[in-house]
Amino acid sequence: MEKEIRNCISELADLLEIVGECRWSADLKKLYKDKSSPLELWLVKVTRLFGGMGSLNDLRLNNADDDRVKDELTSKLYDMASSYLDEIRGKDAND
């Protein structure tokens, strides 16, 4: 699943670069390239993109189609990363 998560990060980074969200794009590309962090820590970094003020959840794009794609990718990314993190930590999805 790590590969799928990295692919989703890459797609999202590319979209955000195209629409001019260069800071977010750069942060995502850095996260994509991070292969030195332990997997659990890396997944925590991914899920932290979605919490608090100024997070990816707060980002709105001017074009409705781009915003829809961004929402789909961020939802997919969060779901995959949080599920994989739970799996690594040994938690049942039903807990």
Side-chain angles (χ1 to χ4, degrees):
M1 182 165 324
E2 180 182 349
K3 183 178 179 180
E4 291 85 357
I5 294 169
R6 287 187 190 276
N7 288 341
C8 191
I9 290 171
S10 179
E11 285 181 59
L12 185 56
D14 290 346
L15 170 67
L16 295 178
E17 183 175 20
I18 289 168
V19 300
E21 289 291 341
C22 297
R23 183 188 71 85
W24 275 114
S25 179
D27 289 348
L28 288 165
K29 286 178 181 182
K30 183 178 176 183
L31 193 56
Y32 174 84
K33 293 177 184 176
D34 179 4
K35 297 197 176 166
S36 62
S37 294
L39 182 58
E40 183 177 356
L41 176 59
W42 181 75
L43 290 167
V44 168
K45 291 177 184 179
V46 173
T47 59
R48 284 188 178 161
L49 294 170
F50 299 93
M53 291 177 55
S55 70
L56 270 176
N57 290 336
D58 296 333
L59 180 64
R60 293 290 165 247
L61 305 181
N62 292 330
N63 179 287
D65 290 332
D66 291 340
D67 197 53
R68 179 188 50 76
V69 172
K70 189 262 321 167
D71 286 345
E72 290 171 2
L73 287 170
T74 55
S75 182
K76 178 180 173 183
L77 177 58
Y78 181 80
D79 289 347
M80 285 192 300
S82 60
S83 294
Y84 196 28
L85 184 58
D86 285 347
E87 182 181 317
I88 287 172
R89 290 177 170 171
K91 293 183 179 178
D92 186 337
N94 296 320
D95 284 349

